Amino acid sequence: MEVIICADATEAARLAAGKVARVCRDAGPEPVLGVATGSSPLKLYAELTRLVEAGVLDLSRASAFALDEYVGLPPGHPESYAEVIRRTVTEPLGLDQSRVHTPDGFATDIHAAASAYEAAIRAAGGIDIQILGIGANGHIGFNEPTSSLASRTRIKSLAPRTRADNARFFGSPDEVPLHCLTQGLGTIMDAHALLLIAQGEAKAAAIAAVVEGPLTALVPGSVLQAHQHATVIIDEAAASELRLADYYRWTYANKPAWQRFDGELA
Ligand code: GLP
């Protein structure tokens, strides 16, 4: 796992965009992005938008697959992840809407919707880079603690902590759905590269558990330890509980130039 500690969230977003741009360039004209909701990747999306607008990153033929969707909201609900992805990713990055996918949490047959999502990812040739945030309880996507490390896209119940954390987007905590449809940990692990981005002290414990704790279903994000190409880009606050922080700083500072991706395409 590559851990990169940045001075602040702005630098983290710039580096993360460099990483995404590098993967897209290597993938050819039709890159497949895995995209996350939540506040963590918003600055990254803004930086990618800047690269697209500057004409140095071409995502016109890119596809995107979201990690997850609520189950129980009416179609078109502003907090449904289909809408959130449209507002924060599809429109600013100028993606072709027909190539942007979210799990169909509105389907009457939710199991069929889960299988169809897996099939759609396979048909696209797999995800080139999956962008991830981290829940305070260590979840990725909506894979809550004790999710199977081999899980595929499926319906899950949201943990009380997650419902409380996400209540800020709804009128009241009771309005947060009880269920979701999420890519499984096995699905996420199939992506060719993983990029986890986090900022702020509230994420420090989860980041320490993901990066340096045991690989355990109790901390779903720790599954990244078993991925061949996982990159974690965080600010100083999110890095504040890492025991080997100095080592990560030293490693990045001494990387061979060809391995760096800061300033990629910028
Ligand atoms: C949400 C999403 C995750 C996201 C996480 C953290 O519930 N399902 O994909 O990474 O929680 O959100 P935030 O980035 O807003 O802290």
Side-chain angles (χ1 to χ4, degrees), residues 37-38 67-75 77-84 102-107 110 139 142 144 155-156 158 162-170 175-182:
T37 55
L67 279 170
D68 44 18
E69 175 61 282
Y70 289 114
V71 170
L73 294 179
H77 189 290
E79 293 307 326
S80 70
Y81 283 174
E83 287 300 303
V84 172
T102 42
D104 186 1
F106 315 110
I110 215 75
H139 76 218
F142 268 139
E144 300 287 24
I155 189 166
K156 287 286 288 177
L158 295 177
T162 302
R163 293 188 70 232
D165 285 350
N166 289 3
R168 67 190 193 275
F169 300 113
F170 293 85
E175 288 175 43
V176 184
L178 296 167
H179 300 110
C180 64
L181 193 53
T182 181

Side-chain angles (χ1 to χ4, degrees), residues 9-144:
T10 302
E11 189 193 331
R14 196 179 59 81
L15 266 194
K19 172 73 183 176
V20 173
R22 165 81 60 93
V23 169
C24 289
R25 189 195 63 189
D26 292 349
E30 300 196 349
V32 182
L33 302 174
V35 290
T37 55
S39 47
S40 306
L42 290 179
K43 278 180 183 258
L44 162 60
Y45 297 146
E47 187 64 17
L48 288 173
T49 301
R50 192 183 68 75
L51 292 177
V52 168
E53 286 172 355
V56 289
L57 175 63
D58 179 11
L59 295 178
S60 58
R61 287 161 66 193
S63 301
F65 287 88
L67 279 170
D68 44 18
E69 175 61 282
Y70 289 114
V71 170
L73 294 179
H77 189 290
E79 293 307 326
S80 70
Y81 283 174
E83 287 300 303
V84 172
I85 291 293
R86 186 180 57 70
R87 286 197 304 271
T88 60
V89 178
T90 312
E91 288 177 355
L93 293 181
L95 302 186
D96 175 350
Q97 176 72 53
S98 68
R99 296 181 194 235
V100 180
H101 313 268
T102 42
D104 186 1
F106 315 110
T108 38
D109 186 342
I110 215 75
H111 295 297
S115 305
Y117 203 62
E118 291 275 334
I121 294 173
R122 273 197 308 276
I127 291 170
D128 290 309
I129 184 162
Q130 175 64 60
I131 295 164
L132 297 164
I134 182 90
N137 65 0
H139 76 218
I140 53 174
F142 268 139
N143 292 281
E144 300 287 24

Side-chain angles (χ1 to χ4, degrees), residues 149-195:
L149 299 178
S151 50
R152 311 301 306 186
T153 302
R154 70 216 183 287
I155 189 166
K156 287 286 288 177
S157 297
L158 295 177
R161 172 73 194 263
T162 302
R163 293 188 70 232
D165 285 350
N166 289 3
R168 67 190 193 275
F169 300 113
F170 293 85
S172 74
D174 291 346
E175 288 175 43
V176 184
L178 296 167
H179 300 110
C180 64
L181 193 53
T182 181
Q183 284 190 34
L185 294 173
T187 319
I188 292 169
M189 289 290 282
D190 283 348
H192 302 306
L194 302 180
L195 172 60

